[in-house]
Amino acid sequence: MDLNTVVEIRDARLPAPWRPGDAWLGGGTYLFSEPQPRLRRLVDLSRTGWTPVRAHPDGSLEIAATCTIAQLSRYGKGLTAQAAPLFEQCCRAFLASFKVWNMATVGGNLCNALPAGPMILLTAALDGECLLLAQDGVRRRVRVADFVTGAGRKDLGEGELLRSVTLPARALGCRTAFRQASLYGLGRSGVLVIGALDPVDHSMTLTITASTLRPVRLWFPLPPGAADLRAALRSAVADDEWFDDIHGLPAWRRHMTFRLAEEIRRELGRETR
């Protein structure tokens, strides 16, 4: 779609004051998908040259906001970490063509903050931390699970930029289980759930998106029993926090979340009574 209110595209490598009507341009797959009447200028990140995925000496991975889904998929296929399968599983959770894969970015998926965002699920489940850069140069770090605060809402100030997301080595070493549900074979995700079992202390996390307005991440010191898991889910997600749109009613999303969470509990943990 043409954005006929935009009168200028600025290279992000050339500093300039932020002004009303500005927006960051990454892949643009969402930005150009519908009218953006408030926009006057786009600040283009495509030529920043940021390394898509960088492995640090401590074993952590830093994913640039400009990393495309296609680049993340290719990197994940060569990753030897225990949690490596999650990369491709979450990339495949997109309702998108190969053309979108080659343009859509990890940062864009997080900043859109849509409940069905699979990059939100991936990075929240692996205890990711966002690096945010303000216009005055101030840097701050926010956990992905806290960065997305609701459907379309995120902890991002005016002109603030999501630079990257870092996944810690310990999370990458977890054994994981992935579940997805949709009303249709090729439909948008209505429920996304990831479980992760820590090999060090045997604690378990369960992360939910798509069925809820925001990512929900539960931590258990040991794999819980079925009753404890259900109680934790009921406590973590209020009745009005189940998402409601054409891709699934709240009651269906809640039911499927509980069902898939139980499947993951059985897969990752031993049966307890």
Side-chain angles (χ1 to χ4, degrees), residues 113-237:
L114 300 178
M119 296 297 100
I120 297 172
L121 176 69
L122 172 68
T123 52
L126 294 179
D127 201 20
E129 186 178 66
C130 299
L131 173 60
L132 306 176
L133 309 180
Q135 288 294 305
D136 59 6
V138 172
R139 297 184 170 213
R140 65 187 180 104
R141 294 185 180 274
V142 179
R143 293 175 66 241
V144 174
D146 299 322
F147 176 71
V148 177
T149 59
R153 302 200 309 270
K154 60 273 184 185
D155 180 10
L156 198 64
E158 181 66 23
E160 199 168 26
L161 172 67
L162 171 59
R163 169 61 180 84
S164 63
V165 179
T166 299
L167 309 178
R170 183 162 174 172
L172 290 166
C174 290
R175 186 161 65 89
T176 62
F178 172 90
R179 294 293 190 279
Q180 176 189 24
S182 173
L183 285 176
Y184 315 100
L186 295 175
R188 178 177 292 180
S189 296
V191 184
L192 288 167
V193 188
I194 286 178
L197 189 66
D198 192 307
V200 178
D201 62 7
H202 306 292
S203 62
M204 177 178 153
T205 59
L206 191 78
T207 307
I208 304 159
T209 61
S211 59
T212 51
L213 298 174
R214 56 179 175 79
V216 174
R217 192 169 189 267
L218 305 177
W219 179 86
F220 303 93
L222 290 172
D228 290 336
L229 176 61
R230 289 194 300 270
L233 284 170
R234 284 194 293 266
S235 176
V237 186

Side-chain angles (χ1 to χ4, degrees), residues 53 57 72-73 77 83 90 95 113 123-124 139 152 163 180 185 194 197 213 215 228-229 232 238 251 263 265-266 272:
V53 186
L72 186 66
S73 172
K77 289 175 181 175
C90 289
L95 177 60
T123 52
R139 297 184 170 213
R163 169 61 180 84
Q180 176 189 24
I194 286 178
L197 189 66
L213 298 174
D228 290 336
L229 176 61
E263 288 183 8
R265 183 192 75 83
R266 289 171 179 266
T272 56

